[in-house]
Amino acid sequence: MNYIYSDRMSKMNGSATREILKLLTRPEIISFAGGFPATQTLPQKDVQQIAYELLSRDNATKVLQYGKTEGFPELTEQLIDYVRSVNIEGMGPENVQVISGGQQGIDLMTKVFVNPGDCVLVENPTYLTAIQIFDSYQAKIIGVDADDNGLILEDLEAKIKKYKPKMLYCVPTFSNPTGKTYTVENRKKIAEITAKYGVMVLEDDPYSKLRLDGTPVPSMKSFDKAGNVVYVTSFSKVLSPGLRVGVAVGNAEVIRKIAIAKQGVDVTTSNLSLLIVATYLKRNLLSANIRNALPIYRERRDAMIAAIDKYMPEEYKYVKAEGGLFIWGEFNAPINTVELAPEAIKHDVAYIQGQVFYADGSGLNTMRLNFSNSSVERIDLGIHRLGDMFKKEIAKLKK
Amino acid sequence: MNYIYSDRMSKMNGSATREILKLLTRPEIISFAGGFPATQTLPQKDVQQIAYELLSRDNATKVLQYGKTEGFPELTEQLIDYVRSVNIEGMGPENVQVISGGQQGIDLMTKVFVNPGDCVLVENPTYLTAIQIFDSYQAKIIGVDADDNGLILEDLEAKIKKYKPKMLYCVPTFSNPTGKTYTVENRKKIAEITAKYGVMVLEDDPYSKLRLDGTPVPSMKSFDKAGNVVYVTSFSKVLSPGLRVGVAVGNAEVIRKIAIAKQGVDVTTSNLSLLIVATYLKRNLLSANIRNALPIYRERRDAMIAAIDKYMPEEYKYVKAEGGLFIWGEFNAPINTVELAPEAIKHDVAYIQGQVFYADGSGLNTMRLNFSNSSVERIDLGIHRLGDMFKKEIAKLKK
């Protein structure tokens, strides 16, 4: 049988990070490649207790029988309250759709709005799986330039005029991969400009609760007057990625379309996962879990920065993220991180080559390092090894 | 904001059955509309115990941390064994992909193979959500005629020649909605004909374990020599629909593409759901659960048939299904079940108008009745009410 796949599969060759993660089965490898939350932040005991209660004789039918695509009213209520923490006010049940992890929100928004050939704007660089999803819908992906304030508004407007995009995708708080946070003013202006031109915005916010320094910033959705911003967040980084629960919040008409698209994709998210999250939120356990996680992440981030300062060549320039899970950086030298990734694995260290986050395939001199899922000791050891390797490469270049 | 949706959304207006199900909140309504397993067959106690063990201190990281798109090796092993029960032999881990419910299998297969405008063949009538999924990929859906032996092979071959379809979708065992089962010979020939013309087959099998009479039939996949058949089954009807776990089995190259497509859609299925199913299978609990469920379903099916014989007008001709969850029938009279569905709701009974299962919008005189989720008493009462209503309509026609 000679299989003839759909055109949309032509650019889909498996997630680069997931493929790397599969190589990392040797326990001696120090991995800065993934985006895993620290294992000790996963609330084993509480989830065990909650699952036991949910599966008791009186409650289990609700868990085990078919549910509704919309989820459960008690979860929706909790989620309306939850997004108030990023200044999203005035939402009702009609504005909320539970999803099977934040990534399903990207997939469904694209399904609902994007035809093959339509343009999607992204920050350059951006979350690589988002790029892969837009590719799977055969979108034309165009990068918008960014600086320390967020997207460069002139570039955004010029590209809207030129490409007439259907959607802008961005991660305004602790951007993946760069760790940067858009300013309040930048968010307001992005909401205004996109509304003016009728461009949908998908605000992806998996990380804002993981703030290690500085002051919280309102979500871009909180500045949305036209109803063109859909806010997506996830419980993967703050509770458990294995449960696969997230939420999309937006205009009721758009949320209705997302629900219809979800009906065709997986009918409902696992009831057990949804009700675990609902109960966890209702018992006010989440903020305590985050509170306990932050010192761990702060210590690890600081250890990574200290190790970079100590071991990496001076040509390596990084962003000191105020939160999230990653340290992003680039070499002021023609270092090719794609070519060197297998070499790093030989030294038992893994990073993600920054190129995968660029829609245009640039960024050969960039690298994303994850600090959340390694101990301080292993961070020091891993960055030491990387530093030695890169210093050698720099030395070769100088010859 | 004037929302401009993608072209693929134009035919997606929400699942007809799901919308009906949402109307059925009044407990006095007797619903023959859904496809819910009987609530007493949901193994509350076992799932509660298994979840508790999985979430113990020693195991919980595996559940709560990120998993792999491929799932867990211990589940894959169980699934390879599980599909042997429908004569699928010689499968390895590379032939198996876990999915978030059987429906995700339909969605992913379509994503992998079908371009907008491509033809998908279906049995006429067929599972309505499959039609909706094919619509969401802008496929051209063509119905193949069927009789008591299965698909009419001449019609299948003629339509393959005429429409050059990418895929044939069918439910060969206790077909949804008709309850019919294709003969062994019919399965063999379908596998042969589709292989000859290079047409993929999606064999959807949610019901074969729910056999109430007669002899089990090997899956169509078991007759697949060319590697063009992908077999999809689900644990929704035999364990729990709320967990959202199914499996796709096929050629390794195709399964790899399905895995890549799944990475972009939801990354992984809920680890907790996957590991509950793995443990449930490993402990040999499934066959006992099915064994206990069958007498309940047999009693309900027989009660429904007895009630139909007693109360329905003689113009109503039905299929006595040997298994599954549904009784399908049609009126040898110009009865319009679409128009009468709201009238039935007024009498506190719900059915599904058969039209929704026809890709071409025909079948106005047909009706699907679910027997699995109502007690014998309510089945008798509900069919009595329906019978009275339809008899009145028939009398009007005869005036």
Side-chain angles (χ1 to χ4, degrees), chain A residues 347-369:
Chain A
H347 292 90
D348 291 339
V349 193
Y351 61 77
I352 296 281
Q353 59 271 31
Q355 187 201 32
V356 296
F357 302 100
Y358 286 85
D360 60 5
S362 63
L364 280 176
N365 60 331
T366 62
M367 175 170 71
R368 192 192 76 178
L369 298 167

Side-chain angles (χ1 to χ4, degrees), chain B residues 27 31 50 63 121 173 296 316 319 327 353 398:
Chain B
S31 174
I50 289 169
V63 177
L121 297 182
T173 307
I296 300 169
Y316 183 69
V319 179
I327 298 291
Q353 58 270 30
K398 287 183 176 165

Side-chain angles (χ1 to χ4, degrees), chain B residues 275-286:
Chain B
L275 290 167
I276 286 171
V277 172
T279 313
Y280 198 79
L281 288 172
K282 197 167 183 184
R283 293 187 183 170
N284 271 317
L285 294 166
L286 188 66

Side-chain angles (χ1 to χ4, degrees), chain A residues 3 5-6 103 227 253 263, chain B residues 3 5 103 111 227 253 263:
Chain A
Y3 301 107
Y5 301 106
S6 63
Q103 193 181 303
E253 186 190 319
Q263 282 176 10
Chain B
Y3 301 106
Y5 301 106
Q103 192 181 305
K111 187 160 215 154
E253 186 190 318
Q263 282 177 10

Side-chain angles (χ1 to χ4, degrees), chain A residues 12 51 113 117 215 267 281 290 299 354:
Chain A
M12 295 175 75
F113 283 103
T215 318
V267 195
L281 288 172
I290 293 170
E299 189 188 23

